[in-house]
């Protein structure tokens, strides 16, 4: 050898970086599979198609699966100095970075189209509100967090078969909204899940005393504008971590190739 060697610092920093990545992926994947098992999806895969709206569990499974595979490849690649796994890790991490960058640019250029798609997404999930407990919890969290109701307002809940105002609707929730649309009373210790009953039968000014009347699309846009620096900082931080991981992997590949070239 002519003094060329693999940098232990780069090797074990990359290994540590990926072990955290891998464990987080395993945790996300485990939560997703556990949620599916609780809903009986694993014993009956055809039930995946039963949900009309978005199942939040998919997010855990897809993100967890990608993180698990990339983290595993990075860990083993760094520990065993395997150039194939290191290249696999860096190429796919670079691909994810490129897709994120492209999505960010397209979101900025096609803001109105994104807004329409968000509106369609929320309304589609309003229709499936009672079909899945995870989806229901996600919608309730969003409405409570952003102090909103429906995509553009409470009337969007007419899309749901339990809350619509048609005469044929026998539901007790007819002409109402979910409890997450209600303005919370600080004095109440227990959530009143019936607070939204019949509220859409009231006049507009009277509704404002009981429920949020602004839509979630507008409130989400306002939240983004108010927290633009924080949101941008998070995305830049994630991007820098990805670039850091790619650089470490490529550096280690170069070291391994240099050592092999001197044998």
């Amino acid at each position: 050898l002519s003094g060329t060697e693999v940098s232990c610092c780069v090797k074990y920093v990359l290994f540590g970086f990926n072990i955290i990545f891998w464990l987080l992926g395993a945790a996300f994947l485990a939560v997703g599979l556990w949620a599916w098992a609780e809903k009986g999806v694993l014993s009956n895969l055809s039930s995946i198609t039963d949900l009309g709206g978005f199942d939040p569990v998919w997010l855990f499974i897809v993100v967890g699966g990608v993180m698990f595979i990339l983290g595993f490849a990075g860990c083993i690649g760094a520990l065993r100095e395997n150039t194939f796994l290191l290249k696999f890790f860096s190429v796919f991490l670079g691909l994810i970075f490129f897709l994120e960058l492209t999505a960010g640019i397209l979101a900025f250029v096609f803001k109105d189209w994104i807004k329409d798609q968000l509106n369609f997404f929320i309304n589609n999930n309003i229709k499936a509100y009672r079909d899945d407990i995870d989806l229901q919890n996600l919608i309730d969290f969003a409405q409570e967090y952003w102090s909103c109701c429906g995509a553009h307002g409470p009337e969007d809940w007419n899309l749901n078969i339990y809350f619509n105002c048609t005469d044929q609707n026998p539901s007790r929730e007819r002409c109402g909204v979910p409890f997450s649309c209600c303005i919370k009373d600080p004095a109440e210790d227990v959530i009143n899940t019936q607070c939204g009953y019949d509220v859409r039968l009231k006049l507009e000014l009277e509704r404002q005393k009981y429920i949020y009347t602004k839509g979630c699309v507008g409130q989400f846009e306002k939240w983004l504008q108010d927290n633009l620096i924080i949101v941008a900082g998070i995305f830049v931080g994630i991007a820098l971590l990805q670039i850091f991981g790619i650089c470490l992997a490529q550096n280690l590949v170069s070291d391994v190739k240099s050592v092999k070239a001197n044998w």
Side-chain angles (χ1 to χ4, degrees), residues 24 87 102 139 211:
L24 282 173
K87 286 177 182 178
T102 304
I139 293 173
I211 63 170

Side-chain angles (χ1 to χ4, degrees), residues 129-146:
Y129 178 73
R130 292 292 190 207
D131 295 350
D132 184 86
I133 188 63
D134 294 319
L135 174 63
Q136 184 174 311
N137 289 336
L138 180 65
I139 293 173
D140 286 335
F141 169 78
Q143 292 190 144
E144 287 177 343
Y145 185 79
W146 283 300

Side-chain angles (χ1 to χ4, degrees), residues 11 70 93 95 116 123 127 138 176 180 197 212 220 222-223 232:
K11 177 178 177 176
L70 284 179
L93 199 59
L95 180 62
D116 291 340
N123 282 336
K127 293 177 186 177
L138 180 65
S180 52
Y197 283 12
Y212 304 120
F220 178 66
K222 182 178 180 296
W223 178 85

Side-chain angles (χ1 to χ4, degrees), residues 102-118 221:
T102 304
I105 294 169
L106 290 176
F108 179 76
V109 174
F110 299 103
K111 287 184 286 188
D112 292 335
W113 183 82
I114 295 292
K115 187 176 178 179
D116 291 340
Q117 292 304 306
L118 181 61
E221 285 182 322

Side-chain angles (χ1 to χ4, degrees), residues 48-97:
I48 293 174
T49 59
D50 294 342
L51 181 63
F54 171 71
D55 188 348
V57 176
W58 272 110
L59 191 63
F60 282 90
I61 290 175
V62 172
V63 172
V66 171
M67 289 176 67
F68 183 85
I69 293 168
L70 284 179
F72 181 78
C75 280
I76 302 302
L79 198 62
R80 304 293 300 171
E81 298 174 11
N82 186 307
T83 55
F84 174 78
L85 288 176
L86 289 171
K87 286 177 182 178
F88 173 85
F89 169 78
S90 59
V91 166
F92 274 86
L93 199 59
L95 180 62
I96 291 170
F97 173 75

Side-chain angles (χ1 to χ4, degrees), residues 58-262:
W58 272 110
L59 191 63
F60 282 90
I61 290 175
V62 172
V63 172
V66 171
M67 289 176 67
F68 183 85
I69 293 168
L70 284 179
F72 181 78
C75 280
I76 302 302
L79 198 62
R80 304 293 300 171
E81 298 174 11
N82 186 307
T83 55
F84 174 78
L85 288 176
L86 289 171
K87 286 177 182 178
F88 173 85
F89 169 78
S90 59
V91 166
F92 274 86
L93 199 59
L95 180 62
I96 291 170
F97 173 75
F98 175 75
L99 289 174
E100 289 170 349
L101 187 63
T102 304
I105 294 169
L106 290 176
F108 179 76
V109 174
F110 299 103
K111 287 184 286 188
D112 292 335
W113 183 82
I114 295 292
K115 187 176 178 179
D116 291 340
Q117 292 304 306
L118 181 61
N119 178 45
F120 174 77
F121 176 77
I122 293 173
N123 282 336
N124 194 44
N125 287 305
I126 283 174
K127 293 177 186 177
Y129 178 73
R130 292 292 190 207
D131 295 350
D132 184 86
I133 188 63
D134 294 319
L135 174 63
Q136 184 174 311
N137 289 336
L138 180 65
I139 293 173
D140 286 335
F141 169 78
Q143 292 190 144
E144 287 177 343
Y145 185 79
W146 283 300
S147 302
C148 59
C149 189
H152 291 292
E155 291 303 324
D156 288 332
W157 283 98
N158 262 331
L159 296 169
N160 187 278
I161 60 172
Y162 297 99
F163 294 98
N164 71 56
C165 268
T166 57
D167 293 333
Q168 294 79 23
N169 184 7
S171 171
R172 179 61 189 88
E173 295 175 310
R174 177 180 174 274
C175 290
V177 292
F179 72 91
S180 52
C181 286
C182 296
I183 297 170
K184 301 296 180 292
D185 184 351
E188 285 185 352
D189 294 328
V190 180
I191 296 173
N192 177 13
T193 56
Q194 299 179 357
C195 60
Y197 283 12
D198 303 321
V199 75
R200 286 191 292 118
L201 294 173
K202 303 179 187 294
L203 296 174
E204 180 68 28
L205 288 174
E206 195 177 356
R207 285 184 196 176
Q208 295 177 7
K209 299 176 185 177
Y210 303 100
I211 63 170
Y212 304 120
T213 54
K214 293 181 179 178
C216 291
V217 173
Q219 289 295 86
F220 178 66
E221 285 182 322
K222 182 178 180 296
W223 178 85
L224 276 180
Q225 291 172 356
D226 294 341
N227 298 275
L228 190 60
I229 295 175
I230 296 172
V231 173
I234 291 170
F235 278 103
V236 169
I238 292 171
L240 289 175
L241 278 175
Q242 289 173 325
I243 293 169
F244 178 66
I246 293 167
C247 290
L248 284 177
Q250 288 301 314
N251 193 301
L252 190 55
V253 168
S254 298
D255 284 355
V256 171
K257 285 182 175 179
S258 296
V259 170
K260 286 181 177 180
N262 281 284

